[in-house]
Every structure is written in C-alpha cells, then in structure tokens.
C-alpha cells in the first residue's frame, strides 16, 4: 500500500448500513393489513423495544435538532415521516406516522477481524434500529458504527466488508470472498452475542441447493432475531427474505486533518466503496471513470483549488453508497448543530431511507406479481380464485403506496432536493415505478376483462333460458289459468298436481341452462337471415351431438 493509506487517519469514522428485507405473509384480503410491529411488541424476551416518537412525548417543546430535520421536508413528506398533529388526528386526517421504529441496546460494539490482519478492530455501535411501514411488507434494518483515529486503509476495508450478508465465493484459505475474516457482536461486558460463519461453506451451499435463495450469515440472523429468514428451520411469526444484492446499501462519514492529501484514486475508492490499494492508482480504467465526478459527486462544498477553507467537503453518491468526506477542523463539516455531520445523521439519512424504502417496496410488489403468476393453475378453479385475490390485493396495495409513499421530490431546500433527485436517478426508481405500475395495471385489466366476459356469458345463458321459457309462458297465458279446474279438489291433490308440473319444468330449465351455450349458437344461426336452412339444422343438431369444445 502507498504511504498515504498507512499514514492518513480518519479522525471521525461513521458507517451506516441499511438492509431492506421483504416480510413474508399469508395471503391477505384487499382490506387486510399486516402489522408485524404488533407481533414484535408481543414477543416475549424480544431485545427490540419500540421507540416513542419525540412528537408524541409529553415534553412541551420539540428539540431544535428535530425541528431542523422536520422543516427540511415538504408537507406531504412530513406527513409520511412524522404523521399529523393532534388536530389532524382528531379530524380524521392522516393520523400518526406510518413508520414504526424499534431499537435494541444489548449490542454495544462490533469486533471485526480483517483478512490478513492479526489484531481485530473494535467499532462502537452508535445505534441499531428496525423500521416497519404501515401497509407495506418491507422492513429496514439500520446499523451505525463509529470509530476515532482509524487508519484510512482499515476504514476502507470496513466499508467494503462489514455489510455483507453472505459470501460471493470462498478463497483457497476457506475464508468468504469479499467478507471479513470474522465479525462479532459484543454486549456491554465485551461478551460475544453472535459471530459470523462466512467460512462455513457447506451451510451456504446446502441452503441454496434446497431453497434456491441465499443463506444469511449467523451474525446478521442473530441481529434480526426474533425475525427469522424465510425457508429456515427456525420458528418465528415474522419471516423475511432478501430483496437485493448481498452487500447492504451504506452511508459513510469520514473526517480528515487535511482531505486534500487524498488522491483522486482514494476519493473514487471511497465513493465506490472499493478495496484499498495504492493511492496513485485508480480502481478501474481512466476511460471508465472519466465521468465519475460529473455523475457521482455533489461538489457544492468542494473546490479543487482550495481557495476557501470551507470548500473541502465532497459528497459522493452512487445510489447504493452515500459517502461524505471533509476536513476535521472546519466547523462547516463537523459542527454538531448545523454542520454537515448533523445533516448526515438526520436529513441525509432520511433521504437515503426514503429512496431505498421506495425501491424496496416496488421490488416487493413486483415479487408478489411473480409469485401470483407462478402459482396460477388454469385447470384449478381454486387456483384461479386465489390468483384473483392476490392480484386485487397487490393492486390495492400499489394504489395506496402511490398516494402515501411515492414522491419524486421531498424537499424544496436546495441540497436536500438535489441529493434526493440524484439518489432516485441512480437507483432508477422512477423507471421501476413505471414498470411496476404497468404490470399491475395489465393484471388489473386482465381481471376486469375476465369479469366482463364471465358476466356476458351469464347474460347469454339467462337470455337463452328466458327465450325458451317464453314459449311455455305464452302458451299457458293463451290457454288461460283454468285449463284444469282444481278448485274442488283437496289440498293434497293440489300439491300432487303442483309436483307433476314443477319437477319436469325444473328439469327442463336446468337442462336448458346446461345446453345454453350451444343453444345460443343455434339462436344466432336462426337469426342470421343470410344462412341457409341446412346450416341452421346443423346448428340445431350440434345442441346435442356437437363437439364439446365448440363455442
């Protein structure tokens, strides 16, 4: 490694991992809502505790930090993030926030052993949170770790390796490819709560062979508990499965004594979250990276000439990653109240959360459509009925998602507006939204067409029965109702005569319904003035002797 990586210290290192997962549910009706947060609250001995929103606490004043965060967003985004106040709730408005947040405090540190290193690193766990969203079967795990005076080489390794849910491959030594050698969650007393098992190749291979989905490492599975991975043998009411790539989306904040000492190669590796290497080299070819600054850097606070002391903050976004670097000494970057550091912890995190939640929700809805189609058996009436219910449910959820959660802009403040637009563009969420909308609308139109066809077929059958029944009705009407005088007979005889007429008429009506489709073809032929007598007689014959598949 170049001396730059060995000598540069990250004075303040923060990494926030965001893991979106799909919650698996039984088939629910269009009006049913899955409430996993209620299940989690009712789970005995669960390490998760729901966070009471500051807006709902008894204090008379809101904290200034939360106020600054609140006013960053536009009203519709505020209702999504914070709900409505008491007047809105009392008038039947939006109500409380649709976000339910849980936290756990039993994990205080992460001990990570990097490949090729003998001494592990100890990172402090700043917070662990689990987000649920009303009416959307998606949960998001947020984990933030911090460190002080961390060598840049180690910081890059942690960024690259910490957020891996399973290995891509295995090295010849048996260690998981792209993963840390070992990751351990430590309790307040330094005791290990759970550890990674990336080296257990047999477990991952067997799980994929049997279930056709990747297997989550043991330390991540333990962190999510009592939520359990779908298809696993563990018992649990709340089950989940992964939605995206095995490397979690991440945010990072790194402050340096002098950020200008970082080379272009260092900055690109940080922005793309690549493995550390010689500072004078690039991670990829110059041709591939020629538009990196244009497409991935938000340089509102960055100036290559360094003419102003405050112009030393670079924000880099790739959709999957959001990385901020700057000078540790300058208050614009490190100020705990109004600096970039505070924005990173609050506003920028919420922008990142919303963008990835929207993508995860759209992927979840697309998966539901695939599952509905894959389980459809056109030969089974029960399967067709279940398919209709699933499509109607997915359509209803998508419509509610569109009006409650889908925004292409969440703020009028310049920086927040620009950053959110950049995230949506890089995640390609607008295109994913439109594709999902078209697929769901296609399904809805298919169901509507099938319903209209079924209703039309019923009308045709009833029309045929009515026409044929009209013959008997008119005949009885012309002959009068006193064809057989039953006024002097007993009630028992009247019931007998009634049965003699009722049974054959009923059988004739049912038989007419059975043959109604073919009789309708005969009536069409009979009404066709251009058709000859022979054609009409053939159609009449087909009522009893035609092919079963004739329509």
């Amino acid at each position: 490694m170049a001396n730059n990586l060995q000598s540069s210290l990250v004075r303040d290192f923060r990494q926030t991992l965001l893991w979106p997962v799909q919650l698996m549910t039984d088939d629910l009706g269009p009006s049913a809502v899955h409430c996993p947060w209620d299940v989690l609250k009712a789970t005995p001995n669960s390490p998760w505790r729901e966070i009471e929103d500051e807006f709902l606490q008894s204090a008379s004043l809101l904290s200034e930090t939360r106020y600054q965060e609140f006013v960053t967003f536009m009203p519709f985004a505020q209702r999504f993030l914070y709900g409505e106040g008491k007047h809105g709730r009392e008038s039947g408005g939006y109500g409380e926030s649709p976000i339910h947040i849980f936290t756990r405090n039993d994990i205080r540190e992460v001990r990570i052993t990097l490949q090729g290193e003998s001494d592990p690193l100890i990172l402090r766990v700043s917070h662990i949170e689990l987000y649920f969203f009303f009416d959307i079967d998606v949960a998001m795990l947020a984990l933030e770790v911090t460190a002080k005076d961390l060598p840049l080489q180690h910081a890059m390794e942690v960024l690259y390796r910490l957020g891996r849910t399973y290995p891509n491959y295995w090295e010849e030594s048996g260690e998981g490819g792209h993963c840390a050698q070992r990751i351990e969650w430590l309790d307040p007393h330094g005791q290990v709560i759970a550890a990674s098992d990336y080296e257990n190749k047999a477990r991952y291979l067997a799980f994929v062979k049997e279930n056709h989905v990747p297997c989550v490492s043991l330390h991540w599975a333990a962190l999510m508990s009592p939520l359990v991975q779908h298809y696993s043998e563990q018992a649990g009411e709340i089950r989940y499965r992964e939605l995206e790539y095995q490397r979690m989306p991440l945010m990072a904040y790194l402050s340096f004594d002098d950020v200008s000492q970082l080379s272009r190669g260092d900055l690109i590796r940080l922005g793309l979250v690549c493995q550390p290497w010689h500072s004078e080299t690039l991670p990829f070819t110059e041709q591939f990276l020629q538009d990196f600054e244009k497409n991935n850097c938000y340089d509102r606070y960055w100036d290559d000439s360094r003419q102003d002391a405050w112009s030393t903050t670079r924000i880099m976004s790739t959709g999957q990653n959001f990385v901020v670097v700057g000078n540790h000494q300058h208050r614009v970057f490190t100020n705990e109240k109004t600096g970039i550091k505070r924005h990173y912890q609050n506003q920028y995190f919420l922008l990142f959360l919303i963008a990835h939640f929207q993508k995860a929700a759209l992927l979840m809805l697309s998966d539901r459509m695939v599952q509905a189609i894959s389980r459809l058996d056109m030969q089974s009436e029960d399967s067709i009925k279940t398919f209709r219910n699933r499509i109607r449910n997915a359509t209803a959820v998508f419509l509610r998602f569109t009006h409650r959660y889908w925004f292409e802009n969440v703020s009028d403040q310049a920086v927040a507006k620009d950053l959110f637009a950049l995230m949506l563009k890089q995640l390609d969420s607008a295109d994913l939204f439109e594709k999902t909308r078209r697929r769901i609308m296609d399904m809805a139109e298919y169901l509507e067409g099938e319903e209209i066809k079924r209703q039309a077929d019923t009308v045709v059958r009833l029309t045929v029965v009515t026409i044929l029944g009209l013959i008997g009705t008119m005949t009885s009407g012309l002959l009068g109702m006193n064809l057989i005088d039953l006024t002097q007979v007993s009630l028992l005889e009247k019931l007998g005569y009634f049965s003699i007429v009722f049974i054959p008429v009923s059988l004739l009506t049912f038989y007419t319904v059975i043959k109604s489709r073919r009789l309708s073809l005969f009536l069409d032929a009979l009404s066709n003035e251009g058709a000859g007598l022979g054609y009409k007689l053939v159609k009449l014959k087909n009522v009893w002797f035609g092919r079963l598949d004739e329509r």
Side-chain angles (χ1 to χ4, degrees):
M1 301 293 175
N3 290 333
N4 195 37
L5 291 181
Q6 297 173 353
S7 60
S8 295
L9 289 179
V10 182
R11 293 300 184 182
D12 190 357
F13 172 81
R14 294 179 177 271
Q15 178 179 1
T16 305
L17 295 169
L18 196 64
W19 186 21
V21 296
Q22 178 181 353
L23 300 177
M24 309 306 295
T25 63
D26 296 329
D27 295 323
L28 301 173
S31 61
V33 176
H34 183 220
C35 301
W37 50 89
D38 289 335
V39 177
L40 189 57
K41 285 191 290 186
T43 302
N45 302 320
S46 171
W48 297 99
R49 297 291 180 267
E50 188 168 16
I51 298 176
E52 183 180 358
D53 194 336
E54 187 177 343
F55 282 88
L56 302 177
Q57 294 175 0
S58 58
S60 59
L61 297 178
L62 189 69
S63 67
E64 186 176 349
T65 298
R66 199 69 188 277
Y67 174 81
Q68 293 177 13
E69 174 190 295
F70 177 84
V71 298
T72 300
F73 298 93
M74 297 174 71
F76 49 83
Q78 290 171 353
R79 289 191 290 271
F80 161 48
L81 293 170
Y82 312 104
E84 287 188 328
K86 61 179 182 179
H87 299 294
R89 294 194 294 272
E90 291 171 357
S91 62
Y94 199 92
E96 297 178 3
S97 170
I99 306 176
H100 298 262
I101 310 174
F102 289 74
T103 187
R104 58 186 296 174
N105 300 315
D106 57 326
I107 298 176
R108 298 296 177 85
E109 293 178 328
V110 179
R111 185 161 61 203
I112 177 171
T113 304
L114 301 172
Q115 294 187 5
E117 299 285 343
S118 57
D119 297 327
L121 300 175
I122 302 294
L123 307 176
R124 188 177 70 87
V125 174
S126 177
H127 60 83
I128 305 173
E129 294 165 348
L130 189 60
Y131 290 77
F132 296 100
F133 303 86
F134 180 79
D135 201 28
I136 299 293
D137 291 328
V138 166
M140 306 190 81
L141 176 71
L143 166 71
E144 183 180 60
V145 297
T146 65
K148 298 292 186 181
D149 298 332
L150 189 66
L152 177 57
Q153 176 183 340
H154 289 165
M156 287 183 171
E157 288 281 4
V158 171
L159 289 175
Y160 185 72
R161 301 182 186 277
L162 179 60
R164 304 275 181 171
T165 56
Y166 55 86
N168 279 352
Y169 64 94
W170 285 267
E171 304 283 358
E172 293 183 2
S173 61
E175 297 175 350
H178 298 163
C179 301
Q181 182 177 330
R182 188 171 179 81
I183 299 174
E184 299 165 305
W185 308 129
L186 306 181
D187 67 11
H189 305 290
Q191 300 300 310
V192 177
I193 293 178
S196 62
D197 67 335
Y198 293 132
E199 71 284 354
N200 190 355
K201 183 194 299 188
R203 175 174 174 262
Y204 292 91
L205 298 181
F207 193 91
V208 172
K209 182 179 186 299
E210 181 176 356
N211 303 302
H212 294 195
V213 294
C215 179
V216 173
S217 177
L218 288 180
H219 69 297
W220 289 115
L223 189 61
M224 291 289 283
S225 180
L227 282 70
V228 298
Q229 187 181 9
H230 196 44
Y231 300 126
S232 72
E233 297 179 355
Q234 292 178 279
E237 292 187 62
I238 310 176
R239 312 190 75 84
Y240 67 89
R241 71 178 176 194
E242 292 193 278
L243 279 167
E244 300 185 61
Y245 179 55
Q246 55 95 10
R247 194 177 81 178
M248 300 177 189
L250 67 84
M251 299 177 64
Y253 171 94
L254 303 94
S255 64
F256 299 86
D257 288 331
D258 186 2
V259 73
S260 64
Q261 296 299 312
L262 298 182
S263 68
R264 181 169 182 256
D266 294 331
L267 290 171
I268 291 176
R269 285 186 174 87
L270 286 172
L272 298 180
V273 187
C274 300
Q275 289 180 273
W277 199 247
H278 299 289
S279 295
E280 66 274 12
T281 65
L282 296 176
F284 307 107
T285 65
E286 176 60 46
Q287 183 178 359
F288 180 78
L289 296 170
Q290 61 183 348
D291 294 327
F292 173 79
E293 286 78 8
K294 176 182 178 182
N295 296 332
N296 303 106
C297 297
Y298 184 72
D299 285 344
R300 188 185 188 94
Y301 308 110
W302 179 268
D303 184 5
D304 288 326
S305 63
R306 309 292 193 277
Q307 294 181 358
D308 298 301
W310 59 266
S311 59
T312 55
T313 297
R314 167 164 278 185
I315 300 174
M316 297 174 283
S317 175
T318 65
Q320 186 78 2
N321 312 311
F322 183 88
V323 180
V324 182
V325 297
N327 276 350
H328 185 65
Q329 298 92 341
H330 204 282
R331 63 184 307 274
V332 171
F333 188 67
T334 59
N335 186 277
E336 295 282 353
K337 188 174 181 180
T338 59
I340 298 294
K341 181 177 181 179
R342 174 55 61 189
H343 295 331
Y344 167 87
Q345 293 173 306
N346 294 86
Q347 290 93 316
Y348 297 170
F349 171 75
L350 289 177
L351 294 174
F352 197 71
L353 177 75
I354 294 172
H356 282 273
F357 161 70
Q358 290 180 338
K359 181 181 179 182
L362 292 170
L363 291 174
M364 180 273 294
L365 288 166
S366 298
D367 181 76
R368 279 194 179 183
M369 303 298 291
V370 172
Q371 291 295 321
I373 289 293
S374 63
R375 297 174 183 176
L376 175 61
D377 180 4
M378 295 301 295
Q379 306 302 318
S380 170
E381 187 65 30
D382 290 339
S383 177
I384 294 174
K385 182 179 179 180
T386 301
F387 172 75
R388 293 195 192 104
N389 290 335
R390 285 174 176 161
I391 297 302
R392 290 193 183 100
N393 188 17
T395 303
V397 171
F398 179 76
L399 290 175
R400 295 193 293 266
F401 165 80
T402 300
H403 294 284
R404 181 181 284 138
Y405 298 121
W406 176 249
F407 328 110
E408 294 189 61
N409 183 24
V410 296
S411 176
D412 274 340
Q413 292 188 12
V415 178
K417 181 179 180 179
D418 293 345
L419 289 177
F420 189 72
L422 182 61
M423 291 176 189
L424 286 191
K425 178 182 177 181
Q426 292 169 337
L427 292 173
D428 207 16
S429 296
D431 184 60
L432 179 59
F433 174 83
E434 186 58 29
K435 288 179 179 178
T436 305
R437 187 191 68 82
R438 286 200 303 266
R439 290 168 184 165
I440 290 180
M441 292 303 106
D442 287 346
M443 287 294 181
E445 290 175 6
Y446 167 77
L447 290 180
E448 183 179 356
E450 285 292 304
E451 186 69 23
I452 293 174
K453 179 182 177 182
R454 189 165 55 254
Q455 292 176 357
D457 189 58
T458 301
V459 170
V460 168
R461 294 182 180 216
L462 291 176
T463 302
V464 170
V465 174
T466 302
I467 291 173
L468 296 180
L470 186 62
I471 299 173
T473 302
M474 293 183 65
T475 303
S476 299
L478 290 173
L479 293 177
M481 299 302 297
N482 296 321
L483 184 62
I484 301 177
D485 186 8
L486 301 176
T487 57
Q488 303 300 321
V489 300
S490 65
L491 178 61
L492 186 60
E493 289 180 284
K494 290 180 181 180
L495 291 175
Y497 279 111
F498 176 80
S499 300
I500 292 172
V501 176
F502 177 77
I503 292 174
V505 170
S506 299
L507 293 175
L508 179 62
T509 301
F510 292 144
Y511 182 74
T512 304
V513 172
I514 294 173
K515 295 293 185 180
S516 60
R517 188 182 295 274
R518 297 184 181 188
L519 284 169
S520 67
L521 296 176
F522 166 67
L523 292 178
D524 286 340
L526 193 64
S527 64
N528 187 356
E529 297 180 358
L533 178 61
Y535 174 77
K536 296 177 181 180
L537 290 175
V538 169
K539 289 297 182 181
L540 178 60
K541 175 185 174 184
N542 286 341
V543 173
W544 295 278
F545 306 107
R547 293 174 298 173
L548 293 178
D549 60 345
E550 184 174 350
R551 296 290 183 268

